[in-house]
Amino acid sequence: MPRSKQTKKRQIAPDPIYQSRLVAKLITVTMYDGKKSVSQKHIYAALEQLKAKTKEDALGILRQALDNIKPVMEVRSRRVGGAAYQVPSPVRGERREALAIRWLVNAARSRPNSQYHHFYDKLAAEVLDAAKNQGGAVERKNQIHKVAEANKAFSHFRW
């Protein structure tokens, strides 16, 4: 983090089809080796699959899934008197969204290849599970919340 002045937040351009910044962020996170067009194909295919399975708005389902994944609290390491404490602290809005998207993509990637042939199949299944408050990404959020709850005794070290 620079000491001289605050860094400016970059404005992310919305994606061309859904005109959504959320979908644009999802495309960026799923991208490998700078291949954005491949990532776009996967995301759009997953959203089309969601629309076909649920007969509802795919963007609405994606938003619902991300709302279910977003963490409220997290633990941060704080060094006090030679000991490192895991101090629970609230998560800012932009970081909440970034963590939710990252956890969603990682949970989709970790799904077994034997059941799903393509990444967009995995992503669609993970988004559906997250919209129902299930799946790997929601488990990750619950795990983080449990750790924060367990370390509530150290909350007075918050800075």
Side-chain angles (χ1 to χ4, degrees):
M1 190 168 144
R3 293 172 185 263
S4 58
K5 56 185 171 185
Q6 264 317 8
T7 56
K8 291 181 182 173
K9 280 307 226 182
R10 288 195 186 132
Q11 285 297 321
I12 296 174
D15 76 295
I17 293 181
Y18 289 94
Q19 300 300 316
S20 169
R21 284 179 168 40
L22 189 66
V23 175
K25 286 181 185 178
L26 190 61
I27 287 169
T28 307
V29 171
T30 57
M31 184 169 50
Y32 267 133
D33 294 332
K35 298 189 178 188
K36 195 168 194 172
S37 60
V38 174
S39 180
Q40 279 178 333
K41 286 176 189 172
H42 286 305
I43 299 300
Y44 294 146
L47 291 174
E48 287 299 317
Q49 219 175 55
L50 281 174
K51 192 174 183 180
K53 281 183 182 177
T54 61
K55 307 282 191 277
E56 294 177 31
D57 180 34
L59 211 53
I61 295 169
L62 179 64
R63 282 197 183 101
Q64 174 65 39
L66 285 175
D67 285 342
N68 289 344
I69 298 171
K70 287 179 185 176
V72 179
M73 297 292 285
E74 68 178 342
V75 291
R76 307 183 108 184
S77 199
R78 176 94 165 117
R79 202 161 161 81
V80 177
Y85 295 102
Q86 296 292 317
V87 180
S89 61
V91 185
R92 288 180 336 212
E94 291 179 8
R95 180 164 167 76
R96 289 179 72 193
E97 191 173 80
L99 286 173
I101 291 172
R102 192 181 317 153
W103 293 345
L104 179 74
V105 171
N106 288 341
R109 283 186 179 143
S110 66
R111 285 188 172 235
N113 287 333
S114 59
Q115 290 178 329
Y116 308 98
H117 294 295
H118 303 287
F119 174 71
Y120 56 83
D121 294 331
K122 294 179 179 186
L123 185 64
E126 188 63 39
V127 169
L128 270 178
D129 281 352
K132 297 174 190 169
N133 248 340
Q134 300 169 343
V138 176
E139 287 298 317
R140 179 80 191 264
K141 178 192 94 166
N142 292 337
Q143 182 182 4
I144 296 286
H145 281 188
K146 273 185 195 170
V147 172
E149 185 69 28
N151 289 303
K152 197 165 39 169
F154 303 123
S155 62
H156 63 282
F157 288 130
R158 192 176 295 152
W159 58 101

